[in-house]
Structures are given as structure tokens and as C-alpha cells.
Amino acid sequence: MADVESTGHSVKLETLDFEGPLDLLVYLVKKNEVDIYDIPIAVVTEQFLEYVEAMTREKLESAGEFLLMAATLMRIKAQMLLPQPDLDDEEIDDPRRELVLKIIEYQQFKEIAEHLRDHESSRRLLFSRGYREWLAEDEARAEEEPANRATLGDLLRAFADVMGQAARDRVHHLEPLAVTIEEKVDFIRGRLRREGRSSFRELFVVGEPRSHWIVTFVALLEMAREGEIRLRQAERFGDINVFVGEGFKK
Amino acid sequence: MTDASTAPTRAVLDTKHIVEALLFAADHPLTSVQLASLIEDTTAAMIEDVVRGLEADYVMQRRAFGIKRIADGFQIVTRSDYAAWIERLRAAAPRPRLSRPALETLAIVAYKQPVARVELESIRGVSVDAVLRTLLERGMVEVAGRGEGLGRPLLYRTTGHFLEYFGLPGLDALPRPEELEVLFADRERQEELEFDSGDRIAGEDE
């Protein structure tokens, strides 16, 4: 196999930034000028791991996706090292197959994204009647972007705050939860239907046991994931507000 | 100026000039169907011809504007040569472009719509949570309904605003997948890979 000798291929990648593990793989395949249909998996895996190692020190948050891919690469590498059973004919599935298809598909969309970038550039040079209003609308939309959006960190911080104030049960009762996520989802929906928005704190009913508050929190996470609600924060570490989202169910 | 009583009747006015007036006054692209519904005795096909004639006039007269096909309609826009001066009129920082993750995600939505978030994530290999929300808020994508799968996931599609933002006449103005450069290898092998699922890949094993 061609991909066993991997020493001497080490690369310096630390200055580059990648959108994700597939982006990095596309880069490595191009850089090494290898045939996508015959990727030297050992070389690529080694370089990939080098990058992940350099990266995890700085951006731990996206490291998970890279580590997952690293595990996939190592699994493939191991499979490639196993002696191929002497199967009669077909059904010999190259362990790299699935990954190769993914890389190709991703590469195609990267290209389409570049087309879109070109269109964006040329469109910016054309002006029509009403373009000021149109731009203003677009900017207003753009402005609502990440700064105001509550992150998972913000949410956890707010939840920790809330829980700090919860009545602490002196005695631990082992009882089935008296409330379901669905009930809390309904409760939150009801509140938003009436008022359009709510503060994060208000959703935690004073006097309820802690377990209920945890269920409320899970319900909020679930609704945010589904796009039913939007979580906004006016300022860093400020109060979080809950708004009706695109996927809100009436 | 003429008031209504002395206004010329439809008969003496050129369809071409009525179309010109409508495109001049409109804030958004007008489709040939819309134009035909506004002007007596015309069809969408006639409007298409008239618009082509108008654009030819503008080119011949070297006007600073022309007619562009955007989002299934027509819009009068200034030619790109004059952008620098119009930017001065605006006197503000150029608006932010979409980020690379946003463009990649949009590209996938455009081709796979209606599409669920899991599929976007599987293709990009990363979470698309934040970027999808940005795209929703900027009106580039919208919820198209719910899918059949587990948990009936939300499905997304691109919007008319998406076409306007990129100045695209329609989704079919994007390159077809087979027109994309295949950067890695020859097409035959790729097709083999995609369609003959049972076949081995990567040529002959040693």
C-alpha cells in the first residue's frame, strides 16, 4: 500500500483557518496533490491530527467536529491495514468510499458558494429605485446578528442564576417528575402567544420545585432548537428575552 | 401635465413606454405576468419582447442604466460603471457581505430545498445553528414546512429576497451540478462512484 510511509510529510497549518473538518480535508487533498479516489489515508490522517492538535489549544468549541472526523480517519486507516479477505468478487467496499463522496459533495457546494460570492459582488454595483430602503431593511436585519443573540453560554449562566434562587429541597424525594417537557412547552407557548415575548426569568415559576425549573429549561432549549423561539440579550451578561421565532406553533 | 380627462388613451401610447414607466417607478422587480396584468391587451410573452427592445434601446443610447432580470422579474438598475458615484450619494460604509459559512449553507439550501437542518450539517460537517438563524433573520431562507422524518424537522427553502440580494433571475441561473468543475478527477470515475453503489472504487486494488 502506498500510504504506509507517512514520515516527512508533516505540514505547518497553524495560520490557516478552516470552516470545519471537511474544509480541512479538501485542503489536505489539494495540498498533497493526491488522487481523491485513492487518498493516502495514513498521510492525510497524520496531517489532520497535527492540525487538530494545534487547534484545540485555541478554539475548543469547534474541536468536537474535528475530533469526530479524526476518529473516522483513524478507523478507516485501521481498516485499510487489515488484510483484505479474499472475497470472490464484488462487495469489496473500500473503507474510504463514504468519506470520498462526502468530500466531493462538500467541494461542490464550496464552489457554488464561490459563484454566489461573485453574484453578490456584481450585484452590489447595481442600483435601482428604492435601493436605499432596500439596503436599510437588509442592514436592519443584519444588525440583529450575533451580538444580540444569546449563546448557549449565556443561557447556562442565566439558568445557573435562576437555579441559585430556587427553593432547595431539604429532603430528597424520589418521585417521578410531576411535569413533562410537553407541558412546559405548552406553558411557554401560551405565554408567548399572549405577550409575544417574555423574559427568561419570568418563565421559571416561583415556588415550583427545582425539578420543574430544569424541565422548563429543557423545554426552552428544545424550542430554540426547533426555531420556535429566539433568545436575545440586549447586552453582554444582561437579561435574556424570549421572542416568538419562525417556527412558532400557534 | 395632463389630468385624467385629457390623458391620452391606451390606443395612442406605445406598450413599450408604458412598460418603461412602470419599471421606472417600481421599487422591486416586476414580472412579465404582473406587467401584462397591468397593461391592457398584452400577454407575458409580448412583455418579454418589449423589455428586450427597451434594453436594446438603452444600450444603443449608452444610457447609464439598463434592465436586469432579477427574481423572475425585471428591474431598471444603474450600470456597474457608475457604482462609485452612487456609493458617494449613500455616504456610508458598504454593507456587510455574507460570511463564507453563510454562503456555503445558502448554496446547499438552494440546491436541496426543501431541506432539513440535519442534512445541511451532514454536508458541511459542522453545526449550522447560528448561521441558519442569521440567514432566517436576513430573509435569505424561510421555513417551508416540516419533514416526515424523526421529530418532523423544519424544512428550509430560499426566498425571493435571496434572488434579489444576489441579482439572480431565478434558481436555474445557478450552475447545474454537472457544470461545476470537478477538481479532483475525471467524471467517469465519479459517476461510477455515485451510481454504481456496488462497485469498488479507486480503481484496481493492488
Side-chain angles (χ1 to χ4, degrees):
Chain A
M1 255 181 232
D3 51 333
V4 183
E5 347 139 80
S6 54
T7 38
H9 278 90
S10 100
V11 277
K12 286 276 159 279
L13 295 164
E14 65 271 26
T15 51
L16 293 161
D17 215 7
F18 296 96
E19 296 299 339
L22 284 170
D23 201 22
L24 173 56
L25 278 180
V26 167
Y27 169 82
L28 291 177
V29 166
K30 281 196 204 162
K31 181 183 169 64
N32 292 304
E33 294 177 358
V34 296
D35 182 355
I36 179 78
Y37 298 101
D38 192 16
I39 298 178
I41 207 79
V43 177
V44 170
T45 304
E46 189 186 319
Q47 294 177 356
F48 189 94
L49 288 174
E50 250 174 71
Y51 177 80
V52 171
E53 221 172 279
M55 184 194 74
T56 39
R57 275 171 232 137
E58 293 140 43
K59 340 196 273 171
L60 267 170
E61 43 183 299
S62 54
E65 287 146 352
F66 283 88
L67 289 174
L68 197 62
M69 179 61 79
T72 306
L73 286 170
M74 288 192 282
R75 179 178 52 76
I76 295 172
K77 185 175 153 192
Q79 281 174 352
M80 304 275 301
L81 290 173
L82 290 176
Q84 290 291 324
D86 226 9
L87 288 180
D88 332 13
D89 47 334
E90 314 97 67
E91 298 309 308
I92 301 176
D93 232 358
D94 190 311
R96 298 171 293 186
R97 183 172 185 280
E98 204 182 319
L99 183 65
V100 167
L101 288 177
K102 266 183 118 67
I103 296 176
I104 291 173
E105 187 175 39
Y106 177 69
Q107 171 60 27
Q108 285 185 329
F109 284 111
K110 255 174 76 106
E111 255 185 76
I112 296 161
E114 277 159 36
H115 277 269
L116 287 176
R117 178 67 87 204
D118 292 345
H119 280 288
E120 185 187 44
S121 302
S122 35
R123 176 70 178 96
R124 290 158 71 91
L125 301 175
L126 307 180
F127 296 86
S128 62
R129 192 158 282 269
Y131 81 90
R132 284 173 182 242
E133 292 77 10
W134 190 79
L135 280 186
E137 269 171 46
D138 200 54
E139 256 153 35
R141 289 201 190 103
E143 236 144 61
E144 221 202 314
E145 261 180 89
N148 300 334
R149 185 173 295 148
T151 64
L152 184 58
D154 296 327
L155 270 183
L156 289 173
R157 204 174 298 118
F159 184 56
D161 271 6
V162 166
M163 287 304 274
Q165 294 158 18
R168 194 172 277 280
D169 304 334
R170 280 296 167 83
V171 186
H172 289 278
H173 301 285
L174 291 174
E175 284 168 0
L177 274 181
V179 63
T180 65
I181 297 175
E182 287 72 28
E183 281 166 18
K184 281 299 180 193
V185 166
D186 280 342
F187 164 75
I188 298 167
R189 275 190 199 137
R191 173 72 64 94
L192 291 176
R193 211 174 292 130
R194 282 192 306 277
E195 291 159 36
R197 46 145 295 182
S198 166
S199 81
F200 180 80
R201 265 164 202 284
E202 283 166 11
L203 294 173
F204 297 89
V205 181
V206 178
E208 271 186 359
R210 287 160 66 88
S211 58
H212 285 223
W213 287 15
I214 293 168
V215 175
T216 303
F217 187 63
V218 173
L220 276 169
L221 290 179
E222 180 65 23
M223 292 173 83
R225 191 178 66 85
E226 286 285 309
E228 269 208 70
I229 55 171
R230 294 181 300 152
L231 299 160
R232 289 287 175 276
Q233 200 172 21
E235 55 188 314
R236 195 116 179 76
F237 305 121
D239 279 344
I240 293 173
N241 285 306
V242 183
F243 295 93
V244 168
E246 312 278 336
F248 189 72
K249 290 188 213 121
K250 292 275 146 51
Chain B
M1 290 252 86
T2 52
D3 63 54
S5 56
T6 59
T9 57
R10 166 78 178 90
V12 303
L13 291 176
D14 226 347
T15 302
K16 186 151 109 177
H17 292 132
I18 302 175
V19 169
E20 185 176 38
L22 284 167
L23 291 179
F24 177 78
D27 279 350
H28 287 281
L30 294 175
T31 65
S32 50
V33 174
Q34 276 174 316
L35 286 163
S37 74
L38 293 168
I39 309 170
E40 301 86 342
D41 311 321
T42 57
T43 64
M46 284 163 69
I47 299 288
E48 298 269 342
D49 279 346
V50 165
V51 169
R52 235 170 280 136
L54 264 178
E55 171 63 3
D57 290 353
Y58 295 156
V59 170
M60 218 156 56
Q61 299 160 12
R62 299 177 51 89
R63 309 307 310 230
F65 50 82
I67 300 175
K68 193 169 162 57
R69 224 178 232 280
I70 295 177
D72 288 325
F74 302 106
Q75 190 165 32
I76 293 183
V77 296
T78 56
R79 301 207 189 275
S80 52
D81 299 350
Y82 308 101
W85 287 272
I86 299 167
E87 284 290 358
R88 284 182 206 165
L89 175 68
R90 199 171 128 60
R95 64 192 146 133
R97 286 157 173 261
L98 287 174
S99 67
R100 226 182 95 195
L103 287 176
E104 279 180 17
T105 308
L106 257 183
I108 305 171
V109 176
Y111 279 81
K112 299 261 176 178
Q113 57 187 318
V115 61
R117 202 192 47 194
V118 277
E119 197 177 348
L120 299 172
E121 291 184 338
S122 138
I123 292 172
R124 288 199 57 225
V126 292
S127 156
V128 298
D129 245 17
V131 76
L132 196 54
R133 248 168 254 180
T134 304
L135 291 173
L136 280 165
E137 273 157 24
R138 291 193 67 171
M140 298 285 172
V141 302
E142 63 191 6
V143 171
R146 279 176 180 272
E148 290 300 313
L150 189 68
R152 313 248 306 121
L154 290 172
L155 300 177
Y156 301 93
R157 64 175 171 225
T158 55
T159 61
H161 180 75
F162 160 76
L163 295 175
E164 278 196 57
Y165 179 86
F166 290 98
L168 294 168
L171 285 172
D172 46 10
L174 291 170
R176 293 149 56 87
E178 59 266 30
E179 286 166 13
L180 295 171
E181 279 171 66
V182 177
L183 289 161
F184 293 117
D186 57 293
R187 179 148 300 147
E188 262 173 46
R189 288 169 88 184
Q190 190 189 0
E191 277 168 6
E192 227 171 79
L193 212 83
E194 279 173 5
F195 303 117
D196 299 354
S197 49
D199 271 5
R200 58 167 67 180
I201 64 154
E204 286 66 55
D205 264 35
E206 53 276 83

